[in-house]
Amino acid sequence: MGVHERDSRGRHERDGRGRGPESAPVGVGLTTGEVARRLGVAPTTVRTWDRRYGLGPAAHTGGRHRRWTPGDVARLERMCALTATGIPPAEAARTVLGEATQEQAPAARAAPAPPEAAGEAAGEETPARRDEGVAPRPSLRARSRAGSGLRLGDVRQECKGIARAALRLDASALDELLETAIAEHGLVAAWTEVIMPTLQAVGRKWESSGEKYVEVEHFLSWHVSGALRRAAPPTAADRPGATVVLACVPGENHTLPLEVLAAALAERGLPVRMFGGALPVESLVTAVRRTGPAAVALWAQSRTTASRPLAQHVAAMEWGVRGARRKPVVLTIGPGWSGRTVPGLPRPTGLAEAVAVLETVVPR
């Protein structure tokens, strides 16, 4: 199924206007597809947990398709958190069901807790809230996590689903979530508001846990790279003097920001030559001379790799016949250039700004 077809179906399920079997008026609970997107799992996984372990909706709403209440979703979020730590699904399901039983028993015997009770005041999810099917007021900790130990802060819901899928190393779910985010928001917004915050959260987790999550970071980066390539149109044909050269400075291997920039420029029909990570100085100079680009973007993640002399040298290069010599516009992009601004060279601070600058300097 193509991305746009899946995107169309997903929108119908989310806004309640679709005509498929799972569509229903807003306010009667979530569909299985909506729950799957929120959790970052495939819909078949949700149905399997329902059928095999009894983690389905607690109440029937009539009709052939059931709806998931906030309490139902809370149990599945707990299931996701447990399986993300490596616990087998069957054992995780027994834990979730056992916790639900323990929480419901006291609630059935006790009178409803007053609003000023400690749990209520802290905004925690109490048994009474879950049994009533009322959406809990999430605590500060609940808001800042993706049910998996990743501190995400105030981000789009898609970030949390992608983070959960990455932590579970769920390739199919991760690909679907990334492609849906790009199809719905576009490359630039998906990168800025969904993908980059998730990558940053995984990076922070890796740095603070003694390199425990290296495999998650590599796994997520690989799938992001694949999603960007699938979303980008074919590379535009060469036009003399209209090429954009993208390269990491020597010693720099973080290529994902350049990959999304290449994809965004391809969307706009601009010819791109992508040279990737750690391009040696001699090779960069040769590439610029051979392509005669309108612009060169040099990415540096670290201040230790950003080289002002290199940027100035590339900006001073000339080619063409006497009397019509040309020079490239050199963009210094990435956090490595912070505090190392090169006079006269643009330094866009984000993807959207970099795309806008390049659109103005590349002839059409």
Side-chain angles (χ1 to χ4, degrees):
M1 176 182 293
V3 171
H4 297 292
E5 293 173 334
R6 179 165 54 248
D7 173 49
S8 175
R9 182 180 65 187
R11 277 199 304 271
H12 289 327
E13 289 180 356
R14 280 191 296 280
D15 60 20
R17 295 193 299 269
R19 301 181 182 273
E22 288 193 334
S23 62
V26 175
V28 296
L30 299 176
T31 68
T32 297
E34 289 169 334
V35 170
R37 283 188 292 274
R38 176 169 295 192
L39 299 176
V41 301
T44 53
T45 299
V46 176
R47 296 187 182 100
T48 297
W49 287 351
D50 177 4
R51 183 179 66 256
R52 188 173 297 174
Y53 306 122
L55 290 175
H60 291 268
T61 58
R64 189 162 64 92
H65 296 278
R66 292 180 291 174
R67 294 284 166 152
W68 301 76
T69 67
D72 300 327
V73 175
R75 287 192 295 273
L76 292 184
E77 288 178 336
R78 177 65 173 150
M79 181 74 171
C80 285
L82 292 172
T83 55
T85 65
I87 297 177
E91 182 179 344
R94 285 194 295 270
T95 300
V96 172
L97 292 172
E99 290 172 350
T101 300
Q102 292 173 4
E103 290 174 347
Q104 289 169 0
R109 293 192 301 269
E116 62 271 14
E120 191 81 7
E124 295 176 355
E125 183 180 5
T126 62
R129 283 174 176 273
R130 186 179 296 107
D131 293 343
E132 293 166 0
V134 178
R137 292 182 315 196
S139 66
L140 208 56
R141 180 175 181 178
R143 285 198 303 270
S144 67
R145 292 179 178 267
S148 54
L150 287 180
R151 297 186 180 277
L152 286 166
D154 184 16
V155 295
R156 287 182 178 271
Q157 187 65 43
E158 295 102 317
C159 298
K160 300 178 182 181
I162 291 171
R164 292 187 180 107
L167 281 165
R168 289 195 315 277
L169 305 182
D170 188 334
S172 62
L174 186 54
D175 280 343
E176 181 171 353
L177 290 165
L178 289 169
E179 290 177 13
T180 299
I182 292 172
E184 288 187 349
H185 304 299
L187 273 168
V188 174
W191 170 261
T192 304
E193 301 178 26
V194 179
I195 298 173
M196 188 168 62
T198 309
L199 286 165
Q200 290 171 338
V202 172
R204 288 193 299 269
K205 187 66 176 177
W206 168 45
E207 291 174 355
S208 64
S209 62
E211 300 191 359
K212 247 181 96 176
Y213 289 84
V214 175
E215 76 284 358
V216 176
E217 185 178 41
H218 283 238
F219 181 76
L220 177 57
S221 296
W222 172 259
H223 282 270
V224 169
S225 179
L228 293 174
R229 289 177 180 272
R230 289 190 295 273
T235 303
D238 279 329
R239 297 197 308 273
T243 301
V244 178
V245 166
L246 306 179
C248 292
V249 297
E252 183 57 71
N253 288 296
H254 291 77
T255 63
L256 269 182
L258 283 186
E259 292 180 46
V260 69
L261 178 55
L265 295 177
E267 267 192 337
R268 290 153 178 79
L270 302 183
V272 176
R273 294 297 172 267
M274 170 70 165
F275 291 93
L279 188 64
V281 173
E282 298 80 3
S283 301
L284 173 60
V285 171
T286 299
V288 172
R289 290 197 183 283
R290 291 181 61 184
T291 56
V296 177
L298 298 176
W299 172 269
Q301 179 78 16
S302 168
R303 294 187 66 180
T304 61
T305 60
S307 170
R308 291 179 63 180
L310 173 61
Q312 290 171 326
H313 178 73
V314 174
M317 293 176 63
E318 293 183 333
W319 52 83
V321 298
R322 186 184 299 274
R325 308 282 285 177
R326 293 181 290 112
K327 296 180 181 180
V329 175
V330 175
L331 281 65
T332 54
I333 56 178
W337 296 102
S338 178
R340 302 179 65 84
T341 303
V342 183
L345 303 188
R347 185 183 174 272
T349 57
L351 175 61
E353 186 179 346
V355 172
V357 170
L358 290 169
E359 282 191 294
T360 62
V361 301
V362 176
R364 291 287 184 171

